[in-house]
């Protein structure tokens, strides 16, 4: 337990820059909504960089023409504009490129419809800033695309990762830890599916507040000596993890709704996104455990004050989570 708690100090130093750069590294977003015939409504959103739009520009297939887009407006987070493009013969076989993306550290989510209601999502990165629109996107393309989106979402979701990290630090027994992580997985899978399918609909603002509150709860427990911790959390960590996992699943669902689902392959896309989330979560757990193993060998004499290191860990996690909670409460 002590090595893992001390390890958090290192992890927080790594995570803090990620949090601080979150706004600068927000992804771009390009949406092409089929309007019927040969017309598409193009919605383009650029990340904010120092008060100006990031220098990235969408390039549509060569058969597409459009008037000069209106000047982008700032929406508090990014810069958006919209216009109509005419693409005789459709998008299939054409190349979509984000010019300038190769010079950035961000990515761009492209959601396009080959026909009204037939949407596909593609993620472009600095290393792969373009793609060719397939003639008929198959189930394999849907699967790989949404797995990638799920992995990206969980690894960029610092709040979700901090919850998992706090759980790793709090639960000592490997068997109970396994059950706790499994319960978290099962719970967020349930609410992710229910919310995405429209069976459960809650406003995003209170959901985000409770997600932050769940991290504060684990940080509070981590700060206490073992004998003073909440007995429910000590004896049944899987139950607590399951309860908070239900709320985290609603957060995942909110992100998935923003991405959109292909009308004809909703079950496949939902399953793929959830697999991606779990893959990202397992990657994170593997990194934490590996760093813990390294720390135990490099710092065997430093990792001795269990209560002190637990408190440092809990204050680091709790401070960030409390800030998020107040920020989200203010946004109500």
């Amino acid at each position: 337990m002590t090595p893992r708690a001390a390890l958090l100090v290192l992890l927080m130093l790594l995570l803090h820059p990620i949090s601080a750069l979150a706004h600068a590294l927000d992804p771009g977003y390009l949406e092409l909504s089929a309007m019927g015939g040969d017309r598409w409504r193009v919605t383009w959103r650029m990340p904010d960089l120092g008060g100006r739009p990031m220098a990235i520009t969408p390039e549509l297939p060569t058969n597409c023409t459009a008037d000069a887009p209106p000047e982008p407006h700032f929406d508090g987070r990014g810069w958006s504009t919209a216009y109509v493009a005419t693409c005789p013969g459709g998008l299939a076989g054409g190349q979509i490129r984000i010019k300038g993306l190769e010079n950035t550290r961000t990515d761009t989510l492209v959601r396009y419809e080959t026909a009204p209601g037939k949407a596909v999502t593609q993620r472009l990165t600095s290393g792969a800033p373009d793609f060719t629109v397939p003639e008929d996107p198959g189930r394999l393309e849907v699967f790989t695309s949404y797995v990638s989106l799920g992995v990206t979402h969980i690894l960029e979701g610092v709040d979700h990762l901090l919850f998992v990290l706090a759980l790793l630090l709090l639960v000592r027994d490997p068997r109970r830890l396994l059950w706790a992580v499994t319960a978290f997985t099962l719970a967020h899978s349930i609410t992710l599916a229910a919310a995405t399918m429209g069976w459960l609909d809650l406003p995003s603002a209170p959901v985000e507040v409770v997600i932050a509150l769940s991290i504060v709860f684990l940080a509070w427990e981590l700060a206490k000596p073992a004998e003073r911790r909440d007995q429910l959390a000590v004896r049944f960590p899987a139950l607590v993890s399951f309860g908070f996992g239900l709320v985290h699943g609603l957060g995942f669902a909110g992100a998935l709704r923003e991405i959109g689902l292909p009308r004809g392959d909703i079950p496949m896309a939902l399953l793929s996104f959830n697999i991606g989330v779990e893959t990202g979560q397992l990657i994170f757990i593997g990194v934490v455990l590996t760093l813990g193993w390294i720390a135990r060998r490099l710092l065997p004499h430093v990792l001795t004050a269990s209560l002190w290191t637990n408190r440092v860990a809990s204050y680091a996690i709790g401070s960030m989570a409390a800030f998020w909670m107040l920020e989200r409460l203010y946004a109500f």
Side-chain angles (χ1 to χ4, degrees):
M1 181 62 180
T2 301
R4 288 183 293 171
L7 172 62
L8 185 61
V9 178
L10 172 61
L11 288 175
M12 294 309 301
L13 292 175
L14 297 175
L15 287 174
H16 178 71
I18 295 175
S19 178
L21 293 172
H23 293 288
L25 299 182
D26 277 350
Y29 181 74
L30 175 64
E31 182 175 35
L32 290 88
S33 302
M35 302 173 63
D38 294 329
R39 301 172 72 217
W40 273 260
R41 178 174 177 79
V42 181
T43 302
W44 170 234
R45 186 174 184 277
M46 294 159 283
D48 178 69
L49 195 61
R52 294 181 298 176
M54 182 178 283
I56 53 177
T57 308
E59 293 184 348
L60 303 182
T62 54
N63 63 312
C64 295
T65 58
D67 295 331
E71 288 295 318
H73 66 277
F74 185 63
D75 59 13
R77 190 80 184 241
W79 297 80
S80 302
T81 187
Y83 53 95
V84 174
T86 302
C87 305
L91 301 175
Q95 184 183 74
I96 295 177
R97 175 182 176 83
I98 306 300
K99 183 180 179 181
L101 188 63
E102 65 276 10
N103 302 320
T104 71
R105 292 184 296 162
T106 189
D107 52 25
T108 295
L109 190 66
V110 180
R111 184 176 186 269
Y112 64 93
E113 292 182 340
T114 53
K118 191 174 182 181
V120 183
T121 304
Q122 181 77 28
R123 175 174 170 262
L124 298 180
T125 66
S126 58
D130 58 65
F131 74 102
T132 299
V133 179
E135 295 288 340
D136 183 19
R139 296 176 68 85
L140 180 59
E141 285 81 4
V142 172
F143 179 83
T144 56
S145 175
Y146 279 84
V147 166
S148 174
L149 291 171
V151 171
T152 301
H153 175 70
I154 187 64
L155 292 182
E156 292 179 350
V158 181
D159 50 355
H160 298 293
L161 293 182
L162 279 186
F163 180 89
V164 176
L165 180 57
L167 199 62
L168 288 171
L169 296 169
L170 189 61
V171 183
R172 299 186 181 188
D173 182 76
R175 181 177 297 180
R176 288 191 174 187
L177 175 60
L178 175 61
W179 279 111
V181 172
T182 302
F184 181 71
T185 296
L186 177 61
H188 74 61
S189 298
I190 292 172
T191 47
L192 171 61
T196 304
M197 299 301 288
W199 303 332
L200 182 62
D201 187 16
L202 292 176
S204 61
V207 168
E208 294 298 326
V209 170
V210 177
I211 288 175
L213 184 60
S214 71
I215 305 170
V216 172
F217 172 80
L218 290 187
W220 174 256
E221 290 300 309
L222 187 61
K224 298 177 183 177
E227 65 276 6
R228 293 178 53 195
R229 290 174 182 162
D230 186 281
Q231 287 304 301
L232 179 64
V234 171
R235 297 178 61 187
F236 305 105
L239 183 61
V240 174
S241 178
F242 183 87
F244 285 131
L246 293 173
V247 182
H248 282 251
L250 294 173
F252 295 141
L256 188 54
R257 276 196 297 266
E258 291 180 2
I259 294 169
L261 290 167
R263 185 175 298 177
D265 284 306
I266 289 178
M268 172 63 75
L270 180 59
L271 174 64
S272 305
F273 184 80
N274 199 50
I275 290 174
V277 167
E278 290 316 305
T279 301
Q281 184 174 290
L282 291 174
I283 291 172
F284 176 73
I285 291 173
V287 169
V288 171
L289 295 180
T290 300
L291 290 176
W293 180 85
I294 294 173
R296 283 194 296 272
R297 280 150 181 78
L298 295 181
L299 306 170
H301 302 297
V302 176
L303 306 180
T304 55
S306 176
L307 182 58
W308 182 85
T309 52
N310 282 359
R311 284 180 176 173
V312 170
S314 67
Y315 293 159
I317 294 176
S319 297
M320 293 182 68
F323 172 78
W324 292 330
M325 185 174 65
L326 293 174
E327 183 182 46
R328 293 163 185 178
L329 278 170
Y330 180 75
F332 262 84

